[in-house]
Amino acid sequence: MDKTLIRHFSILLLFNLGILQSQPKEKYKIHDENRPQPEVVTHSSFSRMATPPSDAIVLFDGTDLSEWVNSSGSKKTQWKLGDNYFEVRKKTGAIQTVQEFGDVQLHIEWSSPKNIEGEGQGRGNSGVFFMAKPNVSHGYEVQILDSYKNPVYPDGQASAIYGQYPPAYNASAPPGEWQTYDIIFIRPRFDESGKLIRAAYLTVLHNGVLVHYNRELLGPTTHQVRTAYSAHPNRLPIALQDHGNPVRYRNIWVRDLESH
Ligand code: MG
């Protein structure tokens, strides 16, 4: 490659990293309808049914829900176990992992209902919450939504950091198809007095497309209001949201980045 090409490539790379890392903290209101919609990108061959690495903790291998409990953390989940997947059973509440985690690499596969029902935020809505307290009141959510030809406020679409950052691209597959998230979550750090010393960070690949690169979170993700950080334990469960839509999940595994 000649030097001009390399220079052009470097400029392109910097530009793209700029999109992925930009932090328009004050530019847009929460759930701002005027925020630009991410460009649509498709990818037909990605990490579906990726085999867990040897040091991964398998949270669902298709056979049972023993790694999950309801959102009070005490009882068996009532979500429906199907053939190699499980499904949100509405009004039974979120589910959360039995084990607790801090910094992690997570692989999760999901699909929104093939028969489209509802619209906007009512279409295939669920979510992956890191560091969820009981009832998912204070986690950090990567949104799950059927965002295939279903425009919503950009910070609430699939793979958005809910209420904070739209994904850099809309990599959604059609409803009914299995989709993947590969997520690196770095928890916030608090000092002994509970003061924030470092924010939480998320890197997210949606269907193999990088949509957030080391994104600094503004605080816990919440609906309609932005919420400041408040100290919480270093390890908490990962939760999946019951938003009333029968979203399916399969092949979930996590690498504990703080165990080595
Ligand atoms: Mg959600």
Side-chain angles (χ1 to χ4, degrees), residues 121 125-129 141-145 162 241 243:
Q121 289 287 325
N125 194 334
S126 184
V128 182
F129 281 77
E141 181 188 13
V142 177
Q143 169 72 314
I144 284 179
L145 192 76
Y162 188 76
Q241 185 186 40
H243 204 283

Side-chain angles (χ1 to χ4, degrees), residues 7 16 52 57 87 102 139 160 183 217 224:
R7 200 175 309 121
N16 280 321
I57 297 162
E87 184 180 297
I183 302 173
L217 273 64
Q224 293 184 332

Side-chain angles (χ1 to χ4, degrees), residues 69-72 77-79 87-96 135-136 240-244:
V69 286
N70 72 355
S71 61
S72 71
T77 164
Q78 296 174 64
W79 286 20
E87 184 180 297
V88 176
R89 197 186 297 273
K90 73 175 177 185
K91 298 200 173 142
T92 63
I95 66 171
Q96 65 184 44
N135 302 315
V136 202
L240 302 174
Q241 185 186 40
D242 168 12
H243 204 283

Side-chain angles (χ1 to χ4, degrees), residues 179-249:
Q179 310 201 41
T180 64
Y181 284 166
D182 289 281
I183 302 173
I184 296 158
F185 173 77
I186 306 298
R187 65 177 171 84
R189 265 57 176 179
F190 300 94
D191 69 13
E192 280 171 11
S193 70
K195 186 171 158 253
L196 181 75
I197 48 177
R198 199 179 77 194
Y201 286 84
L202 272 165
T203 295
V204 180
L205 284 90
H206 180 191
N207 294 338
V209 174
L210 183 61
V211 295
H212 299 286
Y213 175 68
N214 210 28
R215 185 83 76 184
E216 180 181 340
L217 273 64
L218 305 174
T221 56
T222 41
H223 185 52
Q224 293 184 332
V225 283
R226 295 233 166 99
T227 306
Y229 283 100
S230 61
H232 55 66
N234 292 343
R235 298 180 78 86
L236 282 166
I238 294 169
L240 302 174
Q241 185 186 40
D242 168 12
H243 204 283
N245 303 137
V247 174
R248 292 181 176 180
Y249 289 95

